[in-house]
């Protein structure tokens, strides 16, 4: 008891007289020893540490990410610089593997198998990342602030509203299509796929009722797909396989009333693929009784046609959300369909806002807009003429800054640009030729015809997110040592290299376990072997082993037991 009184008095003394706490107390207790050391002004030091931690936190740059799509997922997975405080705002608290959405519509893959909770992604990060389940209602670029409304269910009738400040804003919101919501289905979110699945099953159940006429059954079982791109074609093929593999067993009385129509405004379906794939797909559609119509309004005429249908899937014509529209008006981009960004993914007119994925389009500068500055930058001796060597010295920077120049020089080498017969006399070499600015402009007059817009695909968004994370990781380093190309307008170099999309190939699943694959190097494959390649690549691209195992098990289950036809 005396020991406890002794230590109690000792603690009181240390508390009242902090200077005494620099002593070392050694006391023998039973068979062991206790060694205690306490520094003076412990409380002050603790307060100092807290203040230091707050100061460090206040120095961190605040990055707000709107959305949890492909670009957001790859940005978060690749960001590893601790100088940032990241806040993710989205009403969807999971990442969705969108390429497998068509498989969900007909029960080939379960919805939960292709989603990964966002918390599973951010909890593995060693940086400060938080998630807010809310929808952004307004972006205020003038004050670096966004306004949000909570989407989580609460007992209160009024949803909580709050504002978030940012140093950098990254917009990766997906798009919707105003004007057709009441009449069509979309296939952008997991809810869309589940709704389509229920409607497809309900259509067959309804068509099986005994009191319907043949015309009514035909209307109910007429499925129309608007858009002949990969999503529309894949849904049509999934539905066709569902009818031929499962409906014949479950709804044999109505299988002959099923009709699938793909509407495409251009001349061919899958027009972004190789012509060999387009031709094969159209031939196969015709053989399998999937109708492919060019459009419902005759070209060059105001005459329109109508057709009865049971369900319409809209797989084309995306449009911005109201929040993005409002933001575009604030930054004088109200006349565009998507946000315009530069080659570094920064929204034009707002230096600290980035836009990735299908809500944005890179506004690539044209060579002919900067042709005078390019000529001056290459003319090292300021002679007013340009030699082959002078152009070659700067050609790498020009090709990096203007990707269309690189494509143009593949078909027309640099030496050919300086091929001017009027200047070549006898055996004079091209190195001796000097071009005036008018001749230089004439030689590159067709270079901008090589400009191409990037498709609104998961592959593009995935690469953009990884690129932007790399830039953020090296932000401080590249401020000191820029690694980008030479500035054509101005002096010095750009901080980073511009974003460059690398096309890794594309797939178009067709009916009967066949897939068309177009890979780099003009490699085209169509058939069952490509289907197995599709399986392996899509399994490997899953963001976690959990979803990978679920998706593969769903495929195996479908092979053994068929598709799940329950309307849930």
């Amino acid at each position: 008891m005396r020991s406890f009184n002794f230590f109690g008095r000792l603690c009181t003394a240390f508390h009242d007289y902090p200077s005494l706490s620099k002593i070392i107390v050694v006391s023998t207790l039973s068979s062991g020893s206790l060694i205690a050391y306490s520094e003076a002004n412990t409380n002050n030091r603790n307060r100092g540490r807290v203040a230091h931690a707050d100061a460090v936190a206040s120095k961190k740059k605040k990055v707000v990410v709107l959305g949890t799509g492909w670009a957001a997922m790859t940005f978060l997975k690749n960001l590893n610089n601790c100088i940032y405080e990241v806040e993710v705002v989205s009403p969807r608290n999971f990442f969705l593997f969108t390429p497998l959405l068509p498989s969900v519509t007909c029960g080939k893959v379960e919805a939960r198998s292709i989603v990964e909770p966002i918390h599973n992604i951010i909890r593995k990060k060693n940086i400060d990342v938080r998630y807010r389940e809310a929808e952004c209602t307004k972006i205020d670029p003038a004050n670096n602030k966004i306004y949000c409304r909570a989407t989580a269910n609460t007992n209160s009738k009024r949803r909580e509203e709050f504002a978030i400040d940012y140093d950098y804003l990254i917009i990766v919101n997906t798009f919707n299509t105003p004007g057709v919501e009441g009449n069509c289905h979309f296939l952008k979110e997991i809810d869309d796929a589940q709704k389509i699945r229920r409607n497809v099953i309900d259509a067959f159940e309804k068509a099986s009722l005994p009191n319907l006429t043949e015309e009514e059954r035909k209307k109910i079982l007429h499925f129309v797909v608007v858009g002949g791109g990969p999503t529309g074609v894949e849904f049509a093929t999934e539905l066709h396989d569902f009818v031929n593999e499962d409906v014949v067993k479950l709804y044999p009385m109505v299988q002959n009333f099923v009709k699938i129509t793909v509407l495409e405004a251009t001349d061919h379906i899958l027009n972004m693929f190789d012509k060999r794939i387009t031709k094969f797909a159209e031939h196969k559609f015709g053989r399998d009784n999937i109708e492919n119509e060019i459009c419902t309004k005759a070209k060059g005429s105001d005459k329109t046609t109508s057709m009865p249908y049971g369900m319409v899937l809209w797989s084309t014509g995306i449009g911005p959300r109201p929040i993005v529209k409002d933001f575009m008006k604030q930054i004088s981009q109200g006349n565009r369909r998507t946000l315009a960004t530069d080659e570094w993914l920064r929204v034009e007119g707002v230096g600290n806002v980035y836009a990735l994925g299908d809500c944005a389009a890179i506004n690539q500068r044209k060579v002919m807009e900067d042709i005078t500055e390019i000529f001056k930058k290459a003319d090292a001796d300021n002679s007013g003429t340009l030699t082959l060597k002078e152009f070659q010295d700067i050609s790498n920077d020009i090709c990096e800054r203007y990707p269309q120049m690189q494509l143009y020089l593949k078909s027309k080498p640099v030496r050919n640009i300086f091929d001017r017969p009027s200047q070549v006399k006898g055996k004079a070499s091209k190195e001796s030729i000097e071009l005036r600015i008018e001749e230089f402009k004439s030689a590159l007059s067709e270079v901008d015809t090589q400009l191409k817009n990037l498709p609104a695909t998961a592959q593009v968004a995935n690469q953009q997110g990884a690129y932007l994370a790399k830039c953020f990781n090296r932000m401080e380093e590249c401020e000191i040592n820029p690694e980008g190309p030479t500035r054509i307008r101005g002096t010095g170099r750009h901080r980073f290299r511009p974003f460059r999309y690398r096309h890794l190939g594309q797939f178009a699943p067709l009916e009967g376990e066949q897939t068309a694959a177009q890979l780099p190097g003009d490699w085209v494959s169509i058939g069952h072997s490509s289907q197995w390649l599709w399986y392996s690549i899509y399994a490997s691209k899953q963001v976690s082993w959990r979803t990978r195992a679920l998706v593969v098990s769903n495929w195996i289950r479908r092979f053994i037991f068929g598709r799940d036809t329950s309307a849930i």
Side-chain angles (χ1 to χ4, degrees):
M1 199 67 181
R2 292 178 180 177
S3 297
F4 285 109
N5 290 335
F6 169 74
F7 283 110
R9 292 174 183 174
L10 190 62
C11 290
T12 302
F14 283 156
H15 182 271
D16 294 337
Y17 304 97
S19 59
L20 296 177
S21 61
K22 287 194 174 183
I23 67 171
I24 298 178
V25 179
V26 180
S27 175
T28 302
L29 297 177
S30 65
S31 60
S33 297
L34 171 67
I35 300 178
Y37 173 77
S38 177
E39 272 193 47
N41 300 324
T42 303
N43 292 334
N44 291 336
R45 286 180 178 272
N46 286 340
R47 283 194 293 269
R49 289 170 184 168
V50 173
H52 176 70
D54 291 340
V56 172
S58 65
K59 291 180 181 178
K60 287 187 175 182
K61 295 291 186 179
K62 181 73 167 293
V63 179
V64 175
V65 181
L66 293 184
T68 52
W70 277 94
M73 184 271 298
T74 51
F75 176 79
L76 293 173
K77 292 189 74 172
N78 288 278
L79 186 68
N80 53 30
N81 195 328
C82 294
I83 68 169
Y84 300 110
E85 175 189 352
V86 183
E87 199 150 343
V88 182
V89 179
S90 175
R92 190 179 75 183
N93 71 343
F94 55 85
F95 163 75
L96 172 64
F97 192 84
T98 51
L100 286 179
L101 276 176
S103 297
V104 176
T105 59
C106 294
K108 187 175 182 179
V109 172
E110 290 300 320
R112 288 189 176 274
S113 300
I114 62 171
V115 299
E116 180 71 13
I118 192 66
H119 289 286
N120 287 357
I121 297 174
I122 64 177
R123 69 181 175 86
K124 300 174 183 178
K125 303 297 297 181
N126 59 355
I127 59 176
D128 186 9
V129 184
R130 291 190 295 271
Y131 168 73
R132 310 294 184 196
E133 187 173 317
E135 61 179 347
C136 180
T137 57
K138 183 178 178 60
I139 300 172
D140 183 3
N143 298 303
N144 289 350
K145 194 185 295 287
I146 63 168
Y147 296 90
C148 307
R149 183 187 300 117
T151 57
N153 293 327
T154 61
N155 295 329
S156 175
K157 292 183 179 180
R158 182 182 178 185
R159 293 180 178 178
E160 181 184 356
E161 297 184 356
F162 55 92
I164 300 177
D165 296 318
Y166 65 82
D167 293 301
Y168 300 102
L169 178 64
I170 302 174
I171 305 173
V172 293
N173 256 6
T174 54
F175 275 28
N176 62 4
T177 311
V180 293
E181 291 93 337
N183 303 312
C184 301
H185 292 274
F186 302 97
L187 197 51
K188 297 287 288 181
E189 301 287 345
I190 198 67
D191 292 340
D192 299 332
Q194 291 175 311
K195 186 178 180 181
I196 291 172
R197 175 176 171 175
R198 287 192 295 269
N199 285 2
V200 168
I201 300 301
D202 288 345
F204 284 101
E205 294 289 356
K206 185 177 180 180
S208 300
L209 296 176
N211 58 341
L212 299 178
T213 64
E214 287 191 1
E215 291 302 318
E216 289 174 325
R217 288 192 173 93
K218 288 181 179 179
K219 177 182 177 180
I220 293 170
L221 296 179
H222 185 194
F223 301 94
V224 179
V225 180
V226 181
T231 300
V233 168
E234 186 171 354
F235 171 73
T237 58
E238 286 284 355
L239 186 59
H240 175 270
D241 288 346
F242 172 64
V243 171
N244 285 272
E245 295 173 11
D246 298 275
V247 169
V248 291
K249 303 173 185 176
L250 303 173
Y251 308 95
M253 300 295 294
V254 298
Q255 61 172 314
N256 294 328
F257 298 106
V258 179
K259 182 180 179 182
I260 303 172
T261 302
V262 178
L263 298 178
E264 172 56 41
T266 61
D267 293 334
H268 300 282
I269 62 173
L270 299 177
N271 56 12
M272 70 290 297
F273 281 77
D274 187 274
K275 292 181 180 180
R276 291 167 287 180
I277 293 177
T278 298
K279 184 177 180 180
F280 179 85
E282 291 177 344
H283 174 72
K284 190 167 179 57
F285 270 29
R287 189 177 60 193
D288 294 335
N289 296 321
I290 298 179
E291 297 189 7
N292 175 34
E293 300 192 6
I294 299 303
C295 60
T296 56
K297 183 176 181 178
K299 292 183 178 181
S301 146
D302 292 332
K303 184 179 180 181
T304 60
T305 58
S306 61
M307 62 181 72
Y309 63 86
M311 191 186 82
V312 176
L313 171 70
W314 187 275
S315 65
T316 186
I318 60 176
R321 294 184 186 275
I323 173 186
V324 179
K325 280 186 175 180
D326 178 68
F327 176 59
M328 291 169 70
K329 290 179 181 177
Q330 293 183 62
I331 59 175
S332 303
Q333 292 191 21
N335 59 341
R336 293 180 55 89
R337 292 185 68 244
T338 58
L339 282 165
T341 72
D342 62 16
E343 297 87 338
W344 293 268
L345 308 182
R346 295 173 301 195
V347 175
E348 291 187 344
V350 193
N352 63 340
V353 179
Y354 298 80
L356 291 69
D358 58 4
C359 70
I362 296 176
N363 191 13
Q364 176 65 51
R365 286 195 65 83
K366 295 181 178 180
V367 171
M368 296 309 294
E369 291 177 350
D370 297 337
I371 192 68
T372 302
E373 285 73 20
I374 293 173
F375 185 89
K376 291 179 180 178
K377 186 71 68 171
D379 184 14
D381 57 2
N382 296 320
S383 63
T385 59
L386 199 61
T387 65
L388 175 61
K389 185 179 184 306
E390 285 177 326
F391 184 74
Q392 287 175 330
D393 289 343
I394 198 175
S395 62
N396 288 337
D397 285 320
I398 296 175
C399 289
E400 192 169 24
R401 182 66 180 82
Y402 306 92
Q404 65 269 37
M405 177 69 84
Q406 187 174 17
L407 294 174
Y408 183 73
L409 293 181
K410 285 183 179 180
S411 59
K412 189 172 184 179
V414 175
R415 287 180 171 272
N416 291 359
I417 295 176
F418 285 76
D419 187 6
R420 290 291 178 268
S422 61
Q423 297 190 33
V424 180
K425 296 181 180 180
K427 297 182 179 179
S429 65
K430 293 180 181 179
E431 283 76 2
S432 63
I433 297 177
E434 297 183 357
L435 295 183
R436 294 187 297 273
I437 188 168
E438 293 78 11
E439 295 172 319
F440 187 64
K441 288 181 179 180
S442 176
L444 298 177
S445 60
E446 298 180 358
V447 65
D448 291 320
T449 60
Q450 302 291 329
L451 276 174
K452 295 181 180 179
N453 293 325
L454 298 180
T457 62
Q459 188 177 162
V460 172
N462 185 67
Q463 294 184 27
Q464 287 179 336
Y467 164 82
L468 192 60
K470 181 180 178 182
C471 292
F472 272 66
N473 289 336
R474 297 171 52 81
M475 189 80 75
E476 292 179 319
E477 180 182 347
C478 291
E479 286 283 359
I480 302 171
N481 299 309
E483 62 182 17
T486 299
R487 293 182 183 272
I488 300 300
R489 294 176 178 268
T491 59
R493 307 184 74 86
H494 291 279
R495 277 188 305 177
F496 309 108
R497 293 183 175 89
F499 170 74
R500 289 291 176 266
Y501 169 62
R502 182 187 175 195
H503 186 61
L504 301 177
Q506 52 192 351
F507 291 93
L510 305 173
E511 310 100 79
E513 289 296 312
Q514 296 189 71
T515 289
Q518 182 176 340
L519 301 179
D522 197 30
W523 189 80
V524 172
S525 175
I526 305 172
H528 297 287
S529 59
S530 299
Q531 178 67 31
W532 287 105
L533 180 63
W534 181 89
Y535 281 132
S536 61
I537 290 179
Y538 274 32
S540 67
K541 290 297 182 181
Q542 298 298 314
V543 296
S544 70
W545 281 102
R546 184 189 72 87
T547 54
R548 192 171 294 122
L550 289 173
V551 167
V552 172
S553 65
N554 288 166
W555 288 335
I556 295 173
R557 181 213 64 198
R558 199 269 303 179
F559 275 116
I560 300 174
F561 302 107
R563 292 169 178 80
D564 183 358
T565 58
S566 55
I568 56 175

